[in-house]
Each structure stands twice: as C-alpha cells, then as structure tokens.
Amino acid sequence: MKARRAALAFALPTLLVAGAALAWPDRPVRFVVPAPPGGTMDVMARVVGTHLSPRLGQPVIVDHRPGGGGALAVQAVLDAAPDGHTLLFTGSSVLTEIPHVLALRYDTLTDLKPVADLGRAYLLAIAHPAVPASSLSELVAHAKRNPRKLSYASYGPGTVAHYAGLIFNRKEGIDLQHVPYKGSPPALADVMAGHVPLMFDGIVTSLPHIRSGKVKAFAISSRSRSRLLPQVPTFAELGYPEIDFANWIGVAASARMSSALAATINRELLALVAMPGVRERLLELGFEPTPASTPERLAAMVRAEFERNARIVSAFDIRFE
C-alpha cells in the first residue's frame, strides 16, 4: 500500500490533497452510464472498469441507465449515498448540452460534482458509402441539388452532433433535416443501412465502421488531423472553425460528495488512464488524452461549456423534439 501511494505521489504530485488516505472503496464500485451499451461512454467505462478493479481490489460494475437524456442515470447517482461507490460515468453532453433542451428535475451545475476528465472524443461528419460525394464540398453541392431531401442523424437532440448540422446548414445555406436518436449505436445502424444518409458522430463509435467501409468520413472536429484517420481533414482546414466540438468522457458524482473524496477518486482515475497500457488502449479506440485537472478546475470548464452551449441553443432556437 505504501509503495502504491508513493507511485501515485510521483506520478501526480500537484494533485495530492488532504484526504488521500480515505478508505475508498470498501465494496464494489458502480459506474452508472447514461447510454446504451456500445456507445462512447460505455466503451471507456468498460476499459477503465476492467483495469480499475484489480487496482482497487473491488469489482467495478458498469450499469447502463439510458433514457431521459441521461436523467435516469443522473437520478440513480443522486439517490445513492455520496460515498464514491456509485459514480456517473458520462459524456459532457449530459452535463452541458442536454439540460438546455430538456426539463430536468435537477441542475447539473449545482447538484452534480465533476470529478475527473479522462479523455476526449472528437466529432466526425460521416455518410453512407452510396452518398455521391467524396468531400465536404461535394456534399454541399449534392445538398444544394437536392433541397430538403437529405437528412442527418445525431445521437440526441440538443447535443453537439445536433449543433454541428445546424451550423453547417446555416453557413452553406443548405437544409439537411435533423433526425435525433437515443445514442450513437441506433443512429449508426440506420446510417449503415442507408435509412439516413448522413451523421455527425464521435470518432470512437464511428471508427470501426469507417475502417470496414460501412461509412465514410468527410471531416473531424479536432484542431489537427487524427493519427487514426490521417486522410480525414479537420473542419477548420475546410473553412468551418465553428464546428469545434468534442465530448469529454469522465466521472461525476453527487454534489454532496466531500471535496477530499472527490480528490482521491480524481487522483486514482487519472493515475489509471496515465498507465501506458491503458493510455495506448484508449488512443487505439479514438480517445484523445486530456491534461490532468482537479475537480475544481473541471467544474469551471463544465460551467464555461454549459454557457457556450446555452448561447448556441439560443442562437438556433433549439427546442425539445
């Protein structure tokens, strides 16, 4: 135990705080995921849970609670004791996007405590292979030749996948019709089946289907090209710097959790994703690492992202669908 603490102290000296010796966990840890199996949140939760369990000496259970824009999962966490054994394993969309378009019983800024940001998944513009375009400019031309005939899927209303299509429409004067889904897997299934021609989706869920040729990619929202898809240009390269979105994936808890316990969990999770084997696995899946951050700094980032998204929702008059 002393050697393990010493290793953590060496790896993350700036994150050591009082309360590091808290007895956590003393029983199984539950990651409540506000999405169905197979989505971006689920993929990371399983990787983290698999490696975290032997490190903690306790089982880590991935508990899927899709529905209500994340509300079912969030409520399960808020109803549980704030002792670190029930944690929300979420994407930022649940905290900073969906609350603007759904009436929720809780306030994500005051009822939840962001704990750890573990990685980032950037957004891709993808299409069914039969769409007659090999670039974003050709897609625009195709849309203009076929007004109101093309649609795009998103993994939920009021998410960045929804925003991206609206921004793209406005900038190019086109009218792609939005088709929201409850998560990436069902949306991708319909795109691959040809029921919906286009989609804005995270790289983690799209990557296997791009590699297999079931969908094709036009652009990615990262600031530089992905090493996993070097042939795919960035939106900024193509003249769309406004489409600068990503979902960070991480852990949140009830705001009733103590700051000391949140710091302990933060330190443990950041040490885990910094381990070479875990880091490489997440990179292979399409997650980009994020700078280590305390819960306090993460809370400030969440608030800033929440306010940015509020401005987008207002500018496009986005409403619940």
Side-chain angles (χ1 to χ4, degrees):
M1 180 62 74
K2 289 183 179 178
R4 176 167 164 267
R5 288 177 181 165
L8 287 174
F10 177 78
L12 295 162
T14 61
L15 296 177
L16 288 177
V17 295
L22 288 172
W24 176 84
D26 60 10
R27 58 185 184 279
V29 173
R30 183 164 58 119
F31 285 160
V32 185
V33 179
T40 300
M41 296 177 238
D42 173 57
V43 170
M44 183 182 273
R46 290 182 183 278
V47 172
V48 172
T50 296
H51 290 86
L52 185 62
S53 180
R55 187 178 176 89
L56 298 180
Q58 293 287 347
V60 176
I61 301 160
V62 177
D63 179 7
H64 299 95
R65 298 287 184 98
L72 297 182
V74 171
Q75 199 59 55
V77 171
L78 295 179
D79 289 343
D83 56 11
H85 293 91
T86 302
L87 299 168
L88 184 68
F89 205 104
T90 186
S92 53
S93 59
V94 173
L95 306 182
T96 69
E97 299 163 27
I98 291 171
H100 296 296
V101 296
L102 290 182
L104 302 171
R105 294 171 54 193
Y106 52 83
D107 184 329
T108 56
L109 295 183
T110 59
D111 294 333
L112 289 170
K113 181 191 294 285
V115 174
D117 173 6
L118 304 179
R120 195 160 296 251
Y122 288 99
L123 200 66
L124 286 165
I126 62 171
H128 185 274
V131 171
S134 58
S135 67
L136 214 54
S137 60
E138 290 181 6
L139 178 62
V140 170
H142 176 56
K144 288 183 176 179
R145 289 193 300 269
N146 297 275
R148 299 190 66 79
K149 292 183 179 179
L150 295 180
S151 56
Y152 75 96
S154 77
Y155 46 75
T159 64
V160 294
H162 183 186
Y163 302 166
L166 296 176
I167 293 169
F168 188 49
N169 273 348
R170 178 174 288 183
K171 183 150 186 173
E172 292 295 347
I174 56 179
D175 52 10
L176 303 179
Q177 304 298 300
H178 178 225
V179 183
Y181 286 78
K182 294 180 179 179
S184 290
L188 275 168
D190 271 6
V191 173
M192 289 186 289
H195 301 315
V196 182
L198 310 169
M199 183 176 178
F200 290 90
D201 188 42
I203 185 174
V204 175
T205 42
S206 292
L207 185 61
H209 306 301
I210 295 168
R211 287 171 168 167
S212 69
K214 294 178 180 177
V215 297
K216 56 186 175 182
F218 294 127
I220 189 168
S221 65
S222 52
R223 294 187 179 181
S224 58
R225 295 196 182 198
S226 168
R227 69 185 185 96
L228 300 175
L229 295 171
Q231 77 281 12
V232 177
T234 68
F235 281 105
E237 278 181 69
L238 299 175
Y240 306 92
E242 312 93 327
I243 303 179
D244 180 22
F245 299 119
N247 237 332
W248 62 261
I249 312 298
V251 167
S254 166
R256 296 178 291 127
M257 176 181 284
S258 71
S259 296
L261 178 55
T264 295
I265 297 172
N266 170 279
R267 184 175 59 255
E268 187 69 59
L269 292 174
L270 292 183
L272 177 78
V273 297
M275 292 168 58
V278 180
R279 180 184 173 90
E280 285 305 311
R281 178 58 181 149
L282 293 175
L283 285 169
E284 288 170 5
L285 290 168
F287 293 103
E288 296 290 337
T290 52
S293 181
T294 63
E296 292 76 19
R297 288 200 293 270
L298 182 56
M301 184 183 82
V302 166
R303 182 173 290 276
E305 193 171 305
F306 184 96
E307 292 171 351
R308 178 204 65 177
N309 293 337
R311 293 190 292 271
I312 293 172
V313 168
S314 176
F316 287 93
D317 194 27
I318 300 172
R319 300 176 187 274
F320 174 69
E321 299 182 31

